[in-house]
Amino acid sequence: MCFFLYVASPLTLSEVRSMLPAGLTADLLPPAEQGELRALHPDAQTIARVLLGGCSCGLVTERKTPASEDEARLRVRYRELGYSRDQVVRALSVHRRALELRAQPAGHWPKAFAGFVAEHARNAGPTLYYLQFGHDGLQHVAGGAPRPILTADVRAFPGVWLPEDAPTLVVRDEGA
C-alpha cells in the first residue's frame, strides 16, 4: 500500500509523458478503471497513473531518512487497514523502488511535480488529479464535484496541494 497519483488529462499519454520531469513515469489505466475519473472530467483523453519508482509517495510526502522511518509510517497505516504481513512486505518492496533512483535534494520531487502540473494546465487546460492510498489499482473514487485549485497554489504548496481521496481540478491562473 502506497500513495498513487492519477491524472485525467486532455492530452495524449505520449504528450503527458513528454512533459514529465525526468525520473517520473506515467502508465495508462486499464479501461475498466477509467470510468469514474472520466465521468468527473469528460474532456480527458488520457487517464494515467504517475509514478516515482513503483508508487507516487515521493511526489506527495517527504521521504524520511533513514528509510526505516518512512516505512514505519507506512506499516502503521497498513495495520490500521488490517493487511497481512505478506501484503505489507509486497507493498514495501514496491515503495522501495524509488530508492533505486538517483538521490535528489529534499523537496525536489514535490517541487518538480508541481512545476509539471502548472505547466500542464497552461498547455492543456484544466486537468483532474486524484490521490489514493492503495495498491490494487484505482479503487472507488470519492464522490462530489472536483475541488478547483489554481496553478499558483500548486506551485506555492508542493507536496500538500493534493489532498487524499479528493478529486482536484487544476486550472490555470488568469495571469499565467
Side-chain angles (χ1 to χ4, degrees):
M1 300 294 291
C2 286
F3 283 107
F4 289 94
L5 198 149
Y6 300 91
V7 59
S9 170
L11 300 180
T12 65
L13 180 61
S14 62
E15 290 170 324
V16 170
R17 284 176 172 164
S18 73
M19 293 180 71
L20 285 172
L24 300 184
T25 60
D27 296 320
L28 199 59
L29 284 187
E33 294 181 33
Q34 294 183 14
E36 289 181 274
L37 292 178
R38 192 170 301 285
L40 290 172
H41 191 40
D43 293 338
Q45 182 172 320
T46 298
I47 312 291
R49 186 167 66 170
V50 179
L51 303 172
L52 173 62
C55 62
S56 306
C57 290
L59 302 177
V60 296
T61 62
E62 190 62 45
R63 296 272 183 148
K64 302 290 183 194
T65 305
S68 59
E69 286 182 37
D70 196 35
E71 291 182 9
R73 185 179 60 209
L74 289 172
R75 286 177 192 276
V76 167
R77 186 119 188 224
Y78 304 149
R79 273 194 301 271
E80 289 171 356
L81 294 171
Y83 283 84
S84 71
R85 183 181 185 288
D86 287 343
Q87 288 173 307
V88 170
V89 169
R90 279 194 308 274
L92 289 175
S93 72
V94 169
H95 183 74
R96 289 177 187 136
R97 284 190 217 154
L99 299 175
E100 298 167 7
L101 300 172
R102 185 169 46 103
Q104 297 290 346
H108 169 79
W109 289 113
K111 287 178 191 171
F113 185 68
F116 158 79
V117 169
E119 184 65 13
H120 185 278
R122 189 178 75 75
N123 289 316
T127 302
L128 184 78
Y129 294 87
Y130 189 70
L131 180 65
Q132 190 171 67
F133 191 81
H135 218 274
D136 301 318
L138 181 63
Q139 302 302 306
H140 177 69
V141 175
R147 173 185 76 96
I149 186 171
L150 297 173
T151 55
D153 294 325
V154 171
R155 284 188 186 273
F157 304 103
V160 297
W161 63 270
L162 184 60
E164 184 179 347
D165 292 325
T168 302
L169 189 68
V170 176
V171 295
R172 188 175 82 161
D173 301 41
E174 289 300 318

